[in-house]
Amino acid sequence: MERRTIDPRPGWQQTVEDQGLIYPLTRYPDDTLRPYWDESAYYVFSLPEVEALEEVVEELHTMCLAAAAHIVEHDRFGDLGFTDPRVIEIVTEAWRRRAELPSLYGRFDLRYDGTGGAPPKMLEYNADTPTSLVEAASPQWFWMEERFPGADQWNSLHERLVDAWKKQAALLPPGGPLYFAHSAADELGEDLMTVAYLRETAEQAGLATESISMEDIGWDRLSRRFVDKKLRFMRSCFKLYPWEWLTTDRFAPHVLETLDNGGGTGSTLWIEPAWKMLLSNKALLAVLWELYPGHPNLLPAYLDGPRELATTTGYVAKPLLGREGAGVTVHDPGSAPATPDEPCCYQELAPLPDFDGNRVVLGAWVVEDEAAGLGIRESAGLITDEYARFIPHVIL
């Protein structure tokens, strides 16, 4: 793994916008606009390196499924902050019926420096509402074809997504299109384009689809079903909308009442399925460490406090349901203890590797149960937040 600099292509911004990345710039607190898609640099990997990373990702995914099973079988929902018995019931049922429910994709965040001195380390897993998909799947691939014709890339995302929809089409309920929903509150367009891209892959798989915003989904009081703006029943919907919101907002009672959780007994099937709440909760990190202590691709993590990490390595306090670094705090060894306002997971501090002053995290994608691609983000600090930049990569 090596970082190299390169001159950006003339007209790069219009090029990537035409390829679906309509948010190529990020607005900073000083009101300046700076590249989010940053092709002034790129990362180089060797093929054996990528193959080894693929094996790690698939092993971690298998371990995460085993941890989810442990949570359900040993009633560890309290560790995840689940208090509503109705939510626990739907997650449990979804897990037990998971073979009957469509499940598409997820993204591991990994610490990796490519030196061979330390194996890749899992930082977290977002398997419910992961973004940065569009840039990883499309503009990154076209950038490689233009700048390095004949080279390769860890990127089979598009083909894997289309194949996944084809395989899982039989799990979708009959009667109506598959809806793709995002929140209209998304100001950047990232959620909009992620959903639009996933809808495109579903259509290429032969599925009938419709687009809708979460705010435009209606509730028919007479039939007690969710409907679109034309009052058509919504039998299935892919939503880029976290389950913890779906089960707590004002329509939550209707979601729980009408959920098709496998077996075809409900009215609406939501994708991703409810059991994905087990994988996107940071408490998973502590359960993994409990089940696989000392595993080379895991970092020590606890729910009851930082324990020995407070004096040895330092630690990171992560809210159980945080996103894009929100609420994450970094604590060096011997520093003042964390005083979080909400339940946290305490994970060993493993500072992101520094490449020419840039802190790097690997976003490794999983489609169904297979490693499918890579997206790299750089940040100025130890926390990868909304000001991170996306950097393309190539296999040479």
Side-chain angles (χ1 to χ4, degrees):
M1 179 179 174
E2 178 185 347
R3 187 183 196 270
R4 299 178 184 176
T5 57
I6 191 173
D7 290 333
R9 295 167 295 175
W12 65 267
Q13 181 176 341
Q14 186 62 51
T15 296
V16 297
E17 287 183 358
D18 291 344
Q19 293 164 354
L21 192 68
I22 65 172
Y23 42 94
L25 304 174
T26 299
R27 186 174 297 279
Y28 279 67
D30 62 2
D31 212 34
T32 60
L33 289 171
R34 307 178 199 175
Y36 164 65
W37 168 270
D38 187 353
E39 59 178 68
S40 66
Y42 64 99
Y43 283 85
V44 177
F45 294 82
S46 69
L47 181 58
E49 191 175 25
V50 167
E51 290 173 341
L53 285 167
E54 287 181 325
E55 291 181 5
V56 167
V57 168
E58 292 184 1
E59 181 180 4
L60 286 172
H61 177 70
T62 299
M63 291 161 56
C64 288
L65 295 180
H70 175 84
I71 293 167
V72 173
E73 292 164 6
H74 294 82
D75 193 15
R76 298 281 298 274
F77 292 102
D79 290 338
L80 280 66
F82 290 9
T83 57
D84 188 334
R86 300 171 302 170
V87 174
I88 294 173
E89 180 182 354
I90 68 163
V91 172
T92 299
E93 183 181 10
W95 174 255
R96 291 175 177 164
R97 291 183 174 271
R98 63 190 179 279
E100 305 170 38
L101 296 169
S103 173
L104 193 64
Y105 75 137
R107 191 196 73 229
F108 280 99
D109 285 346
L110 304 175
R111 184 207 182 276
Y112 178 68
D113 62 13
T115 64
K121 299 287 187 179
M122 174 182 171
L123 301 175
E124 56 191 64
Y125 192 16
N126 186 343
D128 182 19
T129 58
T131 53
S132 77
L133 176 68
V134 174
E135 46 269 46
S138 181
Q140 178 176 224
W141 180 263
F142 293 121
W143 167 88
M144 182 215 40
E145 289 190 321
E146 184 174 340
R147 301 310 300 263
F148 298 94
D152 203 357
Q153 193 174 80
W154 183 7
N155 188 359
S156 58
L157 277 164
H158 191 85
E159 298 85 352
R160 294 284 181 87
L161 288 166
V162 173
D163 287 346
W165 287 121
K166 289 179 179 178
K167 292 177 187 175
Q168 301 192 36
L171 300 178
L172 297 173
L178 171 60
Y179 288 83
F180 283 80
H182 72 287
S183 174
D186 165 39
E187 297 179 353
L188 297 177
E190 183 175 21
D191 291 357
L192 167 68
M193 293 310 299
T194 300
V195 167
Y197 174 66
L198 287 169
R199 181 186 177 193
E200 178 185 341
T201 62
E203 289 181 342
Q204 289 186 20
L207 301 180
T209 71
E210 290 282 353
S211 179
I212 194 170
S213 72
M214 294 296 298
E215 291 79 3
D216 283 338
I217 296 176
W219 175 251
D220 188 309
R221 295 179 181 178
L222 293 179
S223 65
R224 304 200 64 77
R225 290 185 175 186
F226 287 109
V227 295
D228 66 11
K229 295 175 70 174
K230 297 180 180 179
L231 302 182
R232 296 176 296 185
F233 296 152
M234 295 178 59
R235 284 293 287 116
S236 58
C237 180
F238 177 94
K239 70 341 169 254
L240 199 70
Y241 192 78
W243 268 104
E244 63 264 24
W245 298 355
L246 200 64
T247 55
T248 56
D249 66 17
R250 65 191 185 98
F251 284 100
H254 303 320
V255 171
L256 299 172
E257 171 192 344
T258 63
L259 178 64
D260 183 341
N261 218 359
T265 56
S267 299
T268 303
L269 182 146
W270 299 93
I271 309 169
E272 300 286 338
W275 66 263
K276 286 293 192 80
M277 295 174 72
L278 301 171
L279 301 188
S280 290
N281 190 298
K282 303 302 187 300
L284 176 76
L285 301 170
V287 175
L288 281 168
W289 186 248
E290 179 184 326
L291 296 179
Y292 304 97
H295 191 282
N297 302 120
L298 297 178
L299 293 168
Y302 309 105
L303 294 175
D304 58 356
R307 300 190 191 179
E308 79 282 355
L309 307 178
T311 56
T312 55
T313 61
Y315 63 95
V316 179
K318 297 181 174 182
L320 299 187
L321 297 174
R323 281 179 168 77
E324 292 205 17
V328 173
T329 55
V330 177
H331 302 265
D332 294 322
S335 63
T339 55
D341 297 327
E342 55 186 312
C344 283
C345 178
Y346 302 87
Q347 186 183 53
E348 179 183 284
L349 174 59
L352 295 176
D354 187 327
F355 285 79
D356 302 327
N358 302 285
R359 298 289 185 167
V360 180
V361 65
L362 303 190
W365 291 94
V366 173
V367 176
E368 293 186 304
D369 296 317
E370 297 183 347
L374 175 67
I376 300 174
R377 286 170 295 158
E378 290 183 342
S379 55
L382 296 180
I383 299 173
T384 305
D385 57 19
E386 68 268 30
Y387 301 111
R389 304 173 303 280
F390 187 95
I391 312 293
H393 79 275
V394 67
I395 299 173
L396 293 176

